Amino acid sequence: MVLDYLSIKQTLIYLEKETGYKYEFDELKELSLAGKLDVFFYRNCIIYNIYDFNISSTRVKKDNEFVSQPLYFANNVHKIGGMFFLKDAFLNIDDGNFSKLKAKVTVEEVYEQEDFSFDKESNYSYSKGDTGYLSSAKFGNLYYFPDYRIDSKPLQDRAIIHISYDELRFKKKQLDKLVNITEASALKIEDELAKVRDELKTAYNNLEKKQEKIDRFEAQEIQLDDNELNERSEKSYLITIGLLLNMLTISRVAGGRPTYSSEAVIINDINSENIYGQKKSTIGERFKKAKDALIDEKKKR
């Protein structure tokens, strides 16, 4: 069925509806180049093949002289309506069209066909996987020799050489597979993010407890015991928070979206909890220390 293949516009709408992510045409090209999405096109045209030329050849007039010219014949000439596989289509874009179809195309689906040959003994018909050249010629353009063989020149003169964007199609089964992979990846990422949130919460709570001790001891002007909070453990917590900040504000999947769009959003969420010691300025200063500690540690690598 033609509905098993979607146009570019239909494909973008379908993927957004199923995944919640707004795909762009360039991303379809990347998927095609990566071998995850095949490109097809629909045409109503003539398909044919060429076999050995006539050894005797013909004489044609060229520059006021008659010269010999090999005579090529076409066989398996059918009028066909179907879907064709266009390999590496996105590699050959030129002024909104694709490069000349110099090579054969592969038949993907056949919806209708009519044999233009008079040789009924072969009973040949095209099916999925067959290959051939395409032409926009009509029945009236064909030239039959007395032995009913067909001259390939009128077909070659009217060869289909360009495919437009509007004719491109993507197979729905491949899109469904892509959607399933995307959903599975999203679930896995969500599980990882849940673990990250728990780790961030634990680390932040530990840091908060340490900060409360620091505030209390500073108010009483008491020297902190090295066993209570030493510089090494504080630095370790800061580095952990710095790493978690990166994980929450940077997308972990190509083309995906981070959990938080910015550090400011995280600060606002924490501040909205109305917990002691969690003012915006205090949180911002702690986050800055965490990022600085992470940068210093990376420099040592």
Side-chain angles (χ1 to χ4, degrees):
M1 294 288 292
V2 178
L3 293 179
D4 292 335
Y5 299 83
L6 305 183
S7 66
I8 292 175
K9 182 178 180 180
Q10 291 171 328
T11 297
L12 294 175
I13 292 174
Y14 177 72
L15 288 176
E16 182 177 4
K17 178 182 176 182
E18 294 298 321
T19 66
Y21 176 73
K22 189 175 179 63
Y23 280 80
E24 300 292 340
F25 180 60
D26 285 344
E27 291 172 296
L28 296 183
K29 291 193 288 186
E30 291 173 4
L31 289 169
S32 175
L33 293 173
K36 296 182 179 180
L37 200 59
D38 293 329
V39 185
F40 304 90
F41 67 97
Y42 176 79
R43 267 297 176 99
N44 236 311
C45 57
I46 285 182
I47 185 170
Y48 67 99
N49 282 283
I50 299 174
Y51 65 98
D52 294 341
F53 59 88
N54 187 346
I55 302 299
S56 63
S57 73
T58 59
R59 292 178 61 80
V60 296
K61 191 173 184 179
K62 184 178 181 180
D63 296 331
N64 294 322
E65 293 184 5
F66 283 94
V67 296
S68 296
Q69 177 175 299
L71 187 60
Y72 292 87
F73 300 109
N75 66 339
N76 301 331
V77 182
H78 283 221
K79 178 182 179 183
I80 189 172
M83 199 72 64
F84 302 93
F85 176 46
L86 190 59
K87 186 178 181 181
D88 297 331
F90 291 124
L91 295 176
N92 301 307
I93 297 178
D94 177 25
D95 297 330
N97 290 314
F98 299 106
S99 291
K100 293 182 179 181
L101 299 176
K102 296 180 180 178
K104 293 182 179 181
V105 298
T106 302
V107 176
E108 172 69 14
E109 297 284 351
V110 177
Y111 303 118
E112 58 179 332
Q113 62 178 310
E114 178 184 355
D115 191 352
F116 279 175
S117 303
F118 286 98
D119 179 12
K120 301 302 180 181
E121 294 181 1
S122 63
N123 291 321
Y124 185 83
S125 61
Y126 286 90
S127 59
K128 181 180 177 68
D130 289 338
T131 60
Y133 298 97
L134 301 185
S135 174
S136 61
K138 306 298 182 183
F139 178 76
N141 301 131
L142 302 182
Y143 180 79
Y144 292 83
F145 292 94
D147 58 2
Y148 299 115
R149 286 184 296 181
I150 301 175
D151 185 359
S152 67
K153 189 174 186 306
L155 294 166
Q156 295 181 63
D157 289 344
R158 295 169 176 80
I160 294 175
I161 59 175
H162 290 110
I163 303 299
S164 69
Y165 286 97
D166 293 339
E167 292 175 295
L168 295 184
R169 297 291 183 272
F170 297 98
K171 187 182 289 188
K172 190 172 180 296
K173 285 185 178 180
Q174 285 189 332
L175 296 175
D176 289 338
K177 185 177 180 180
L178 183 65
V179 167
N180 291 335
I181 292 174
T182 303
E183 289 177 348
S185 299
L187 291 174
K188 183 178 179 180
I189 292 170
E190 188 58 38
D191 289 340
E192 292 177 355
L193 288 176
K195 293 177 183 178
V196 170
R197 293 189 191 100
D198 290 341
E199 291 174 2
L200 178 59
K201 185 177 180 181
T202 299
Y204 198 84
N205 287 339
N206 289 335
L207 185 61
E208 182 182 30
K209 291 177 183 178
K210 300 296 183 181
Q211 188 63 46
E212 288 176 358
K213 288 185 180 181
I214 293 173
D215 294 342
R216 184 167 61 254
F217 287 143
E218 284 181 348
Q220 296 175 1
E221 295 182 352
I222 297 176
Q223 182 74 30
L224 285 175
D225 190 330
D226 287 341
N227 293 328
E228 290 280 346
L229 180 66
N230 58 50
E231 184 177 335
R232 184 173 181 180
S233 62
E234 180 181 10
K235 182 179 180 181
S236 178
Y237 281 122
L238 288 172
I239 291 174
T240 300
I241 291 175
L243 288 168
L244 294 172
L245 276 174
N246 282 347
M247 296 175 73
L248 291 174
T249 55
I250 299 175
S251 172
R252 303 183 70 191
V253 178
R257 300 175 181 174
T259 304
Y260 288 92
S261 60
S262 68
E263 184 181 311
V265 178
I266 299 176
I267 293 175
N268 287 334
D269 282 355
I270 294 174
N271 182 254
S272 66
E273 296 292 333
N274 293 322
I275 298 176
Y276 171 76
Q278 307 309 308
K279 294 181 180 180
K280 288 186 177 181
S281 58
T282 303
I283 299 170
E285 182 178 352
R286 289 173 186 167
F287 280 1
K288 183 180 183 304
K289 289 180 179 179
K291 292 186 292 184
D292 291 341
L294 178 60
I295 291 172
D296 290 339
E297 187 63 26
K298 286 184 175 181
K299 288 179 179 178
K300 296 178 182 178
R301 290 185 175 183

